[in-house]
Amino acid sequence: MSYTSQSTHLMGATISLTIQHDDAVEILGQSFQLLETLEYRFNANSSDSELSRINQEAGIRPVIVHPDLFELISIGKKHSLAENSQMNIAIGPLVQTWRIGFSDAKVPTDDEIHHALAKIDPKKIILDERNFSIFLAEKGMKIDLGCLAKGYSADKLAGFLRSKGVTSALINLGGNILTIGSKEGKPWKIGLQAPQSPNGHHLGIIPIVNQSVVTSGTYVRHLKTEEHDFHHIFDSSTGYPCHTDLRSLTILSEQSIDGEIWTTRLFGQNEINILWQIEQTPNIEAILVDKHGKITLSSGLDPLLPTKRKELL
């Protein structure tokens, strides 16, 4: 049975799906419809999305939402409040103040940053589990799920594909990778982007089966001025892009949402702290690349080091 692939533009990226199935074309069509529905729910940059309705009603009234959106915001709030976490799903006002990645990006004034910082407290996201409602306690608050939505969507899509009998698939949501099974009995081979090279230039290849690969990096979106080059990963305590020697952090996990969670929670911390937390967390592994190009692997990859190191270095 051959493989069928389709691509489209969704979630601000090129989405590619490859599956092996007798009814591949129909299943792929249904898959893209599912992704469109999820984008409608989770997109902070669309004025008519379900998430935007929550943001528009900030400080006014709770909004009843779809259980998927409620679940994702609940996950995001939990990990935003975790000790030493760099995640903050309430960071929307800060993201919108800088606008890095958009044509109108600019360096905000100190007053603008101070104003945004006053509205990014995740504790003020009020969840009502009985009614599936979300309330932002202050006007001007905005939830941004950009750090979680692709991973959650990839897992939802994988569940749908399995329900249709798909046993071999590659889900690529703009660089967020999730695989089902193997490819013709061999691992899927995923390129690890070289952070300081053009897109498509790889440091090496990661072989995976039934796993996800998620990478966060400072090389993705930038705002360049005459004096500075600002990346898009923010520090909620300062209002500026975080200071870090890392260029990329890649998480290997079974669920794509876990890759999103841990790349976001850990990025901005130093290498020792990142590796320590990886070692304490089951079922995830990490690949770190610093500004000098040095690659560090978490200890769970040790059994595969002869293969991994040959392919990665």
Side-chain angles (χ1 to χ4, degrees):
M1 191 187 309
S2 61
Y3 285 85
T4 303
S5 300
Q6 288 187 16
S7 299
T8 191
H9 190 81
L10 276 175
M11 302 178 178
T14 299
I15 304 299
S16 300
L17 306 179
T18 299
I19 69 172
Q20 187 183 49
H21 197 279
D22 289 334
D23 297 321
V25 173
E26 180 178 351
I27 292 173
L28 285 171
Q30 294 170 348
S31 297
F32 285 114
Q33 289 176 0
L34 173 59
L35 291 175
E36 288 175 359
T37 298
L38 294 172
E39 181 182 41
Y40 166 72
R41 290 192 183 126
F42 305 151
N43 190 350
N45 298 309
S46 173
S47 61
D48 62 350
S49 71
E50 290 185 39
L51 177 58
S52 289
R53 286 197 294 112
I54 297 172
N55 293 338
Q56 291 161 6
E57 297 291 348
I60 301 173
R61 62 179 64 87
V63 175
I64 296 174
V65 300
H66 189 278
D68 284 351
L69 181 54
F70 187 89
E71 180 182 34
L72 186 53
I73 291 174
S74 299
I75 293 169
K77 179 179 178 180
K78 171 186 173 182
H79 289 280
S80 296
L81 295 177
E83 185 177 2
N84 297 322
S85 175
Q86 304 299 306
M87 180 185 291
N88 183 357
I89 63 166
I91 205 170
L94 191 60
V95 172
Q96 293 301 318
T97 297
W98 282 83
R99 302 281 295 171
I100 294 177
F102 297 92
S103 60
D104 56 347
K106 64 179 179 63
V107 180
T109 65
D110 289 343
D111 284 345
E112 287 173 325
I113 291 175
H114 179 76
H115 180 74
L117 288 176
K119 299 182 181 298
I120 63 170
D121 184 355
K123 293 179 182 177
K124 295 182 179 179
I125 301 172
I126 312 301
L127 308 176
D128 184 339
E129 297 182 1
R130 183 172 58 184
N131 296 315
F132 288 108
S133 71
I134 311 287
F135 178 55
L136 305 184
E138 271 192 43
K139 284 189 176 181
M141 288 184 67
K142 294 181 184 295
I143 293 175
D144 190 316
L145 297 173
C147 61
L148 292 172
K150 285 183 180 179
Y152 185 90
S153 298
D155 291 334
K156 282 286 183 179
L157 178 55
F160 167 76
L161 291 175
R162 289 189 174 99
S163 76
K164 294 295 183 178
V166 174
T167 58
S168 181
L170 175 67
I171 299 168
N172 183 347
L173 302 190
N176 183 311
I177 307 295
L178 180 62
T179 64
I180 297 175
S182 59
K183 184 179 183 182
E184 298 175 337
K186 297 180 181 179
W188 294 91
K189 294 184 177 181
I190 309 303
L192 180 65
Q193 174 67 34
Q196 294 169 313
S197 300
N199 192 37
H201 287 66
H202 298 144
L203 289 175
I205 304 298
I206 307 169
I208 63 170
V209 176
N210 284 321
Q211 281 185 296
S212 170
V213 178
V214 175
T215 299
S216 183
T218 59
Y219 60 89
V220 180
R221 294 193 296 274
H222 288 261
L223 169 59
K224 293 184 178 181
T225 68
E226 292 183 0
E227 298 180 351
H228 298 285
D229 184 355
F230 297 99
H231 61 77
H232 73 293
I233 302 175
F234 291 103
D235 183 335
S236 292
S237 63
T238 67
Y240 282 85
C242 66
H243 292 286
T244 177
D245 288 334
L246 274 188
R247 286 298 174 265
S248 69
L249 171 61
T250 299
I251 297 292
L252 281 70
S253 57
E254 294 180 5
Q255 300 292 317
S256 192
I257 187 71
D258 291 331
E260 295 268 40
I261 287 168
W262 288 102
T263 54
T264 308
R265 279 187 58 161
L266 298 175
F267 209 103
Q269 299 186 32
N270 64 49
E271 180 179 305
I272 293 175
N273 285 340
I274 290 173
L275 289 172
W276 184 86
Q277 290 183 72
I278 292 294
E279 303 301 339
Q280 307 305 310
T281 305
N283 302 320
I284 63 170
E285 303 297 341
I287 302 169
L288 293 72
V289 183
D290 72 10
K291 63 183 180 182
H292 304 296
K294 183 188 75 171
I295 300 173
T296 304
L297 308 179
S298 59
S299 66
L301 298 176
D302 282 346
L304 301 176
L305 277 180
T307 300
K308 291 282 188 177
R309 196 167 294 282
K310 186 185 297 182
E311 292 182 325
L312 286 173
L313 300 181

